[in-house]
Amino acid sequence: KITYTGTAIPTISAEPQDLVVNVGASATFNVEATGSGTLTYQWLRDDVIIPGATSPSYTLDNVQTSDSGALFRARVSNSAGPALSDEALLTVVAPSAPPTATIDTPQITDRYVGGQVVSFAGSGNDPEDGVLPGTALTWQVDFHHDEHQHPFILPFNGTNGGQFTVPTVGETSANVWYRIILSVTDSG
């Protein structure tokens, strides 16, 4: 019987994962390995050594579209030899342009009286997604008087508008108003 008692090459226990990041962001790849002896790390980009990339993680700062499609992997070594991780694909995308929220009604100059029903409606539009559905719109109404405010209608979504009735009793200050807030969220 012959029993091997030497050192085995490292085993990759957690592979680096594919990443999708925006232009200008950082991309960090990680690898985990086990093995006897001292483990050393070397990261490769498209199977070319990245100078100085010798830790269990590698970060590429300020990624650009020219980095998209690059494959990153780690070579983990000990005295018995190297083990290569799987390749991880880097995909770089242009950041999404923000959507635009538009409140169509009421107009900023409209006035109200106690007991009045105030209707509000609006829309969201996005350069990439086009007209956004009601599920992408979030509404809220705040009641302002003098120097502070109170929530009047808590944030809700799923619709292109709504309405509320102005109370006939409550705050007696002459300096009161309602602020209708519309936020829109696109797919990015």
Coordinates of all heavy atoms in Angstrom, one line a residue, residues 120 138-142 150-157:
F120 N -55.9 64.8 -8.5 CA -54.5 65.0 -9.0 C -54.3 63.9 -10.0 O -54.8 62.8 -9.9 CB -53.5 65.0 -7.9 CG -53.5 63.9 -7.0 CD1 -52.8 62.7 -7.2 CD2 -54.3 64.0 -5.8 CE1 -52.8 61.7 -6.2 CE2 -54.4 63.0 -4.9 CZ -53.6 61.8 -5.1
T138 N -45.3 57.0 -7.7 CA -45.6 57.0 -6.3 C -46.0 58.4 -5.9 O -45.4 59.4 -6.2 CB -44.3 56.6 -5.5 OG1 -43.9 55.3 -5.8 CG2 -44.6 56.7 -4.0
W139 N -47.2 58.5 -5.3 CA -47.8 59.8 -4.9 C -47.8 59.9 -3.4 O -47.8 58.9 -2.7 CB -49.3 59.8 -5.3 CG -49.5 59.8 -6.8 CD1 -49.7 58.7 -7.6 CD2 -49.6 60.9 -7.7 NE1 -49.9 59.0 -8.9 CE2 -49.8 60.4 -9.0 CE3 -49.4 62.3 -7.5 CZ2 -49.9 61.3 -10.1 CZ3 -49.5 63.1 -8.6 CH2 -49.8 62.6 -9.9
Q140 N -47.7 61.1 -3.0 CA -48.0 61.5 -1.6 C -48.4 62.9 -1.5 O -48.2 63.7 -2.4 CB -46.7 61.2 -0.7 CG -45.7 62.3 -0.8 CD -44.5 62.0 0.1 OE1 -43.8 61.0 -0.1 NE2 -44.2 62.9 1.1
V141 N -49.2 63.2 -0.4 CA -49.7 64.6 -0.2 C -49.3 65.0 1.2 O -49.5 64.3 2.1 CB -51.2 64.7 -0.4 CG1 -51.7 66.1 -0.2 CG2 -51.6 64.2 -1.8
D142 N -48.6 66.2 1.3 CA -48.3 66.7 2.6 C -49.1 68.0 2.8 O -49.3 68.8 1.9 CB -46.8 67.1 2.6 CG -45.9 65.8 2.6 OD1 -46.4 64.7 2.9 OD2 -44.7 65.9 2.3
H150 N -47.1 68.2 7.7 CA -47.6 66.9 8.2 C -47.9 66.0 7.0 O -48.5 66.5 6.0 CB -48.9 67.1 9.1 CG -48.7 68.0 10.2 ND1 -48.2 67.6 11.4 CD2 -49.0 69.3 10.4 CE1 -48.2 68.6 12.3 NE2 -48.7 69.6 11.7
P151 N -47.7 64.7 7.1 CA -48.2 63.9 6.1 C -49.7 63.9 6.0 O -50.4 63.9 7.1 CB -47.7 62.5 6.5 CG -46.7 62.7 7.5 CD -47.0 64.0 8.2
F152 N -50.3 64.1 4.9 CA -51.7 64.1 4.7 C -52.2 62.8 4.1 O -53.1 62.1 4.5 CB -52.2 65.3 3.9 CG -53.7 65.5 3.8 CD1 -54.4 65.9 4.9 CD2 -54.4 65.2 2.6 CE1 -55.8 66.0 4.9 CE2 -55.7 65.3 2.6 CZ -56.4 65.8 3.7
I153 N -51.5 62.4 3.0 CA -51.7 61.1 2.4 C -50.3 60.4 2.3 O -49.4 61.0 1.6 CB -52.4 61.2 1.0 CG1 -53.7 61.8 1.1 CG2 -52.4 59.8 0.3 CD1 -54.4 62.0 -0.3
L154 N -50.2 59.3 2.9 CA -48.9 58.6 2.9 C -48.6 58.1 1.5 O -49.5 57.9 0.7 CB -48.9 57.4 3.9 CG -49.0 57.8 5.3 CD1 -49.2 56.6 6.2 CD2 -47.9 58.7 5.8
P155 N -47.3 57.8 1.1 CA -46.9 57.4 -0.2 C -47.7 56.1 -0.6 O -47.8 55.2 0.2 CB -45.4 57.1 -0.1 CG -45.0 58.0 1.0 CD -46.1 58.0 2.0
F156 N -48.2 56.2 -1.9 CA -48.8 55.0 -2.5 C -48.5 55.0 -4.0 O -48.2 56.0 -4.5 CB -50.4 55.0 -2.2 CG -51.1 56.1 -2.9 CD1 -51.7 55.8 -4.2 CD2 -51.2 57.4 -2.4 CE1 -52.4 56.9 -4.8 CE2 -51.8 58.4 -3.1 CZ -52.4 58.1 -4.3
N157 N -48.6 53.8 -4.6 CA -48.4 53.8 -6.0 C -49.4 52.9 -6.7 O -50.4 52.4 -6.0 CB -47.0 53.3 -6.3 CG -46.7 51.9 -5.8 OD1 -47.6 51.2 -5.3 ND2 -45.5 51.4 -6.1

